Amino acid sequence: MRKKVVGLFAVIFFAVSYMMISSSWAATPESMFSSKTGSAYHDIEYELGTIFSATVAGDITAVKVYTVTGESGNHTVRIWRNSTGTVVGGPYTWNYTGNDSWQTYTLPTPISILDSVEYTVVVSTGADTDHYYTSLGGDLSSAGNNGSYLSWPANAGVFSSSLGTRPTSTYGGNNYLRDVVFEATGSPTPTPTPTPTPTPTPTLTSWPDASNTGVSTGITLTPASGTTITVDGTILENKEITGQITIDADNVTIRNCKINTSGYYGIYVGNGATGTVIEDSEIYASSTFYTGIYAHDAIVQRVNIHDVENGIIVGSNAHVLDSYIHDLAYLPGAHVDGIEWGPTGDHVTIQHNNIVIGSDTGAVNITPWGGGTADDIMIYHNRLSGGTYSLYIRGDGGGSVDGVDVTDNVWVKNSYVYGTHSIVSASNITWSNNKLDDNTTVNQ
């Protein structure tokens, strides 16, 4: 009988001891970035996320975002497991209006995650017309942790312009302030403090070039002739095209095409067409020297353009991303530009492009003409090389310029004839963190 009592006390003692030990690491909700704030940007629609992992198993009970004034409407929430490329939580619809503060979305059901496995928490931009979002530049250049169970790798802030996909692109260690609320359920293990590493200076390998633009690796192309597209929703892909493509329909996609133009343009987006996407394609001219793309109401991304007089002429609502414009054609009397306006181009984004020209006009030439306008322009994180000035922002060419944000761009030192940029008769210029490729600051 005595032995049974001792045994009972032993069981009770073990249970109480276990509860006491467990209470020493009892689940306390934690996040990564609650004390941080960011600045407002607006651009095209994005999937924006943070890569993270936990040193113990646990549950994600909520998602947090630092919201900014201007963003509103429905946002899509997903949690991805990176190793499998699968969604483990969501998609959920979260409707909020930004107010320069953190907001929290409680998940309908907690999402269980494994220890030491990388996940990505993603919240898209909203339904607002300008697609506002927040960013804290350089904040995630190095790996780090929250002093408890959550950690993140270097360059954990990720983005994608392809909605519904897991974002993997990074820029400058930006933190888009997407966060989780995590509660541990497993046994803790020590979290090592990472050794800080200096923020790397951008190099050419981080920029678009022939290896990461143009037709995707492994695609087999079939011959085709230039054509005019008149059916909404057409997808033209995996073609080697001789001649000009004219788009006179809505929601047309050109993908994985190599276009040798013999017309005035490689691709011409007609003035009534909307929703065009041109991606993963190469455009050049072998016998005539005109313009690679004329685009408005369009997204142009991961495109390789060369051997034409002008890379791209943009109209309103054009967005040029992650593209390589280089080795342009020079003829007597020509005015060579990487990207130029013609004549009006409002609400335009030029982001993360590598634009390399010779000693002619400009890598980016924002000079509307014929009474045109250039309003609400973002020139963000581009590599600019060449030109008399690499960047022109001028309202003295017969048009007006109002509202240009020039941020985080890199100029190739001494690649230009007169200087990095020329700004004349333009109003409301925002200028931030622009540098030469030797890290020297470029002032407005």
Side-chain angles (χ1 to χ4, degrees), residues 172-229:
N174 281 359
N175 185 350
Y176 303 108
L177 296 176
R178 269 55 180 163
D179 204 345
V180 296
V181 177
F182 172 77
E183 295 184 11
T185 60
S187 301
T189 55
T191 301
T193 301
T195 302
T197 56
T199 301
T201 300
T203 63
L204 181 58
T205 56
S206 67
W207 298 105
D209 59 22
S211 71
N212 52 30
T213 61
V215 176
S216 302
T217 302
I219 298 296
T220 299
L221 303 180
T222 58
S225 299
T227 187
T228 297
I229 298 173

Side-chain angles (χ1 to χ4, degrees), residues 384-407:
L384 306 178
S385 178
T388 47
Y389 293 92
S390 297
L391 173 63
Y392 281 89
I393 305 175
R394 299 181 66 114
D396 62 347
S400 64
V401 178
D402 183 11
V404 182
D405 187 336
V406 184
T407 298

Side-chain angles (χ1 to χ4, degrees), residues 325-412:
I325 302 173
H326 62 105
D327 294 304
L328 300 182
Y330 294 86
L331 295 175
H335 296 282
V336 174
D337 293 294
I339 299 175
E340 68 169 302
W341 263 240
T344 287
D346 300 333
H347 315 298
V348 172
T349 302
I350 309 298
Q351 177 174 311
H352 194 235
N353 302 285
N354 185 9
I355 306 173
V356 183
I357 70 170
S359 59
D360 214 326
T361 313
V364 176
N365 186 358
I366 308 173
T367 307
W369 49 273
T373 58
D375 299 341
D376 185 26
I377 311 301
M378 177 176 285
I379 310 298
Y380 180 55
H381 185 45
N382 300 280
R383 180 180 184 269
L384 306 178
S385 178
T388 47
Y389 293 92
S390 297
L391 173 63
Y392 281 89
I393 305 175
R394 299 181 66 114
D396 62 347
S400 64
V401 178
D402 183 11
V404 182
D405 187 336
V406 184
T407 298
D408 290 345
N409 297 284
V410 175
W411 279 260
V412 175

